[in-house]
Amino acid sequence: MYHCVPDFEMDDDYSLPSSSGAARPRKSSLPQDEIVELLWQNGQVVMQSQNQRSMRVSPPSKYSDAVIPAEQSAAREIRSSQQEQESAEHQHQNLFMQEDEMTSWLHYPLVDDDPALDHNFCADLLYPPLNQSNNIGNNNTNPTIRTSSVTELRPAVTGGVGASRPPIPPARMTELADSKMQNFMHFSGHKARFIGGVDQTEPSSSKSMVVVRESTVVDSSDTPVAGPESWARSAAEASDFGDRGCATLSCGDGAGTSSAGAAAKEMMSCEVTVTSSPGCSSASGEPSLKPPAEDRKRKGRNAEDADCHCEDAEFESGDTKKRVRGSTSTKRSRAAEVHNLSERRRRDRINEKMRALQELIPRCNKSDKASMLDEAIEYLKSLQLQVQMMSMGCGMVPMMFPGVQQYMPAMGMGIGLGMGMEMGINRPMIPFPNLLAGSALPTSAAAAHLGPRFPMPAFHMPPVPAPDPSGIQATNQSEQMLHSIGTQHTSQPRFPNFVDPYQQYIATHQMQLPIPQNQVLAHQPSSSKPSTSRGPENLENHQSGTR
Amino acid sequence: MSSRRSSQSGTSRITDDQIIELVSKLRQLVPEIRNRRSDKVPASKVLQETCNYIRSLHREVDDLSERLSQLLATIDADSAEASIIRSLIAQ
């Protein structure tokens, strides 16, 4: 039973109030919660009731632009009662993929998978009230299927209920096509009206909202209202927006059939701004954060359901305000969207870096950021120590001659100094000579300090307690040298000086260099220890020297 | 990281503070960032620099290991130094 509005007067029963031509301000009354299929044919939307009643949707001329695309796109049948569910489900499907990044849909509010879908939702909102159902099947492909039903519906069409609707929807549709945001709230308001009761003839927006709220929202109105509230607030918090958005909205999950489900997506994007919050019960805003947070665990489906409900409630409550602040809310919503988008990008970058870091860290099986960062820090420290040890070992090995023992204490102290003041000390040259005067205890201390990290038996081994007379003298000399060198180095840039002597030393691999050079060599590793920043560079220099 | 999504609102706040602290710690460790203005270094930058630093340290360790092994070959295997070197390489 398909009936085309103006052209095909196939149904005789049907007597439109104003039947002729294309421009027909369609006044379709709402049958009582009837399932009506909205079909598009020949550029017009034709409503077809499954109860064999058809209504012409709206003046094709006005609607055609906005309606047709919407109708075409909305190729899914949505019964009035089932409509919300289906739309919600569909929406869920669309949003479900983005469940882990809830902000994603925010950033792409109306340009999601199916842009036409948005239109469809809008259309759904519009037409159900008019047609009691929004069924846009194969618009173009069901030309003459249900003419009879349409015809029957026609007579039932009265201008009573839908008196105000046809003019409004057309306007809304155009607006919808344009902004897709603001007017949608109007739609929702209307829709609420429509859905709430077929017979509602002149429901005030507020009243209808209330009615709809009660009728459609299973949960108490508080949660849905609060949901958007908290959700709007969380939206302001870019960092947790996605999570909270889902969570808070999920609180209103109870409302199974969300009349606003269809428009939830767009609504949500609109409602990203906090402007909608005034409409919601601000009192419950904060507390609602907690339960929503708990509900957040639920997957996107619930979130979307809640979203729809919350948004709907919010829209309804703030509908009037929305109308007044149409432009402002749009700006804010867009600003918030941009903010969310940038925030999301930032978070994506950080997550990517975290994953890369996790791969670098061996045996890192932590899943949360904090523990992974902890492990990264520990691993980094251990790596630095290891590099220092090895570099020192490289430096020490050539010196592991009896004559080199004298330098062990120095190096040991350097190590201890480095370990103790490893972090944040760039030029600990000054304290270094102080340790030189000490005994080998610092070496043991350093070794003990390093114990948990590395096996450092080596540094216990150096026969520190077995100094030769020459060693003692050398030590004194080394002290003096180190003092001088220390002062020199503090004033000099990193280590251009002792790189060369060290390179020479390494190249020869022998203790044939004069003692000053050895002392410098001994000084180098130890000096490099205190400043971790210089360690790698020192090592690199050494390596380059050997190569 | 799932902490962001799975944690409650209250928990997420705590975690954020921890993360900030940890990032600052990393900042201290990584030499490149340490010398910069730490207050303006974004977390992503810190993480990036950390990854780079770790990779460079890995390379150094490998190089040092190689050198140590070479040194090990040049000295008496029974000497104390050899044991030191072996311990270093085995890390």
Side-chain angles (χ1 to χ4, degrees), chain A residues 122-167:
Chain A
C122 304
D124 292 348
L125 292 179
L126 286 179
Y127 296 117
L130 302 177
N131 309 323
Q132 213 51 21
S133 77
N134 212 354
N135 183 2
I136 302 166
N138 303 326
N139 304 331
N140 302 326
T141 61
N142 297 335
T144 62
I145 295 178
R146 293 169 275 214
T147 57
S148 59
S149 61
V150 171
T151 58
E152 290 183 2
L153 187 60
R154 291 249 181 118
V157 172
T158 61
V161 180
S164 62
R165 295 196 199 109

Side-chain angles (χ1 to χ4, degrees), chain A residues 254-276:
Chain A
T257 66
S258 69
S259 56
K265 238 187 337 188
E266 298 85 2
M267 290 189 195
M268 291 177 83
S269 58
C270 306
E271 291 307 320
V272 169
T273 61
V274 189
T275 56
S276 61

Side-chain angles (χ1 to χ4, degrees), chain A residues 100 243 347 379 384 400, chain B residues 4-5 53 58 81 85:
Chain A
D100 60 341
D243 299 340
R347 292 208 164 268
Y379 181 65
Q384 286 175 341
M400 291 272 188
Chain B
R4 210 173 51 158
R5 278 176 239 104
Y53 187 50
H58 281 166
E81 299 82 0
I85 295 174

Side-chain angles (χ1 to χ4, degrees), chain A residues 49-273:
Chain A
S49 169
Q50 295 193 356
N51 296 341
Q52 316 251 326
R53 292 194 301 169
S54 67
M55 287 195 240
R56 187 166 310 158
V57 179
S58 55
S61 62
K62 290 186 183 178
Y63 280 102
S64 57
D65 297 341
V67 169
I68 294 173
E71 296 304 329
Q72 288 175 340
S73 62
R76 60 192 85 72
E77 298 186 358
I78 302 175
R79 306 295 181 266
S80 60
S81 59
Q82 307 163 358
Q83 175 182 358
E84 297 83 10
Q85 294 172 355
E86 292 181 1
S87 61
E89 291 175 0
H90 186 84
Q91 181 182 7
H92 298 167
Q93 295 166 6
N94 291 336
L95 299 178
F96 197 77
M97 67 176 86
Q98 304 159 351
E99 182 268 338
D100 60 341
E101 286 287 345
M102 283 308 300
T103 58
S104 61
W105 53 261
L106 292 174
H107 304 315
Y108 312 105
L110 307 172
V111 197
D112 217 294
D113 315 329
D114 187 2
L117 178 60
D118 301 338
H119 292 281
N120 180 32
F121 283 145
C122 304
D124 292 348
L125 292 179
L126 286 179
Y127 296 117
L130 302 177
N131 309 323
Q132 213 51 21
S133 77
N134 212 354
N135 183 2
I136 302 166
N138 303 326
N139 304 331
N140 302 326
T141 61
N142 297 335
T144 62
I145 295 178
R146 293 169 275 214
T147 57
S148 59
S149 61
V150 171
T151 58
E152 290 183 2
L153 187 60
R154 291 249 181 118
V157 172
T158 61
V161 180
S164 62
R165 295 196 199 109
I168 299 173
R172 298 293 178 242
M173 275 310 293
T174 54
E175 294 175 1
L176 181 65
D178 298 338
S179 69
K180 300 194 293 184
M181 280 207 175
Q182 302 171 357
N183 303 306
F184 213 51
M185 301 173 217
H186 307 298
F187 295 152
S188 66
H190 289 282
K191 188 169 72 70
R193 248 178 291 168
F194 301 149
I195 292 173
V198 178
D199 304 327
Q200 50 193 335
T201 53
E202 55 281 342
S204 63
S205 63
S206 59
K207 271 190 348 190
S208 64
M209 287 186 239
V210 173
V211 171
V212 174
R213 234 33 251 126
E214 296 170 356
S215 62
T216 59
V217 177
V218 174
D219 287 349
S220 64
S221 59
D222 294 343
T223 39
V225 175
E229 171 64 15
S230 57
W231 175 77
R233 286 188 194 173
S234 63
E237 303 178 20
S239 63
D240 293 335
F241 178 82
D243 299 340
R244 288 182 188 172
C246 301
T248 56
L249 293 172
S250 64
C251 66
D253 187 14
T257 66
S258 69
S259 56
K265 238 187 337 188
E266 298 85 2
M267 290 189 195
M268 291 177 83
S269 58
C270 306
E271 291 307 320
V272 169
T273 61

Side-chain angles (χ1 to χ4, degrees), chain B residues 13-54:
Chain B
R13 293 198 192 98
I14 298 173
T15 306
D16 285 342
D17 294 339
Q18 289 175 349
I19 291 176
I20 291 172
E21 176 192 352
L22 294 173
V23 168
S24 67
K25 279 189 194 172
L26 274 179
R27 209 174 276 155
Q28 295 298 318
L29 290 177
V30 179
E32 288 189 22
I33 300 183
R34 194 191 338 182
N35 300 330
R36 300 188 196 172
R37 276 171 47 205
S38 60
D39 56 340
K40 292 298 182 184
V41 179
S44 64
K45 185 71 171 174
V46 172
L47 289 174
Q48 181 67 45
E49 293 300 329
T50 301
C51 290
N52 297 339
Y53 187 50
I54 289 180

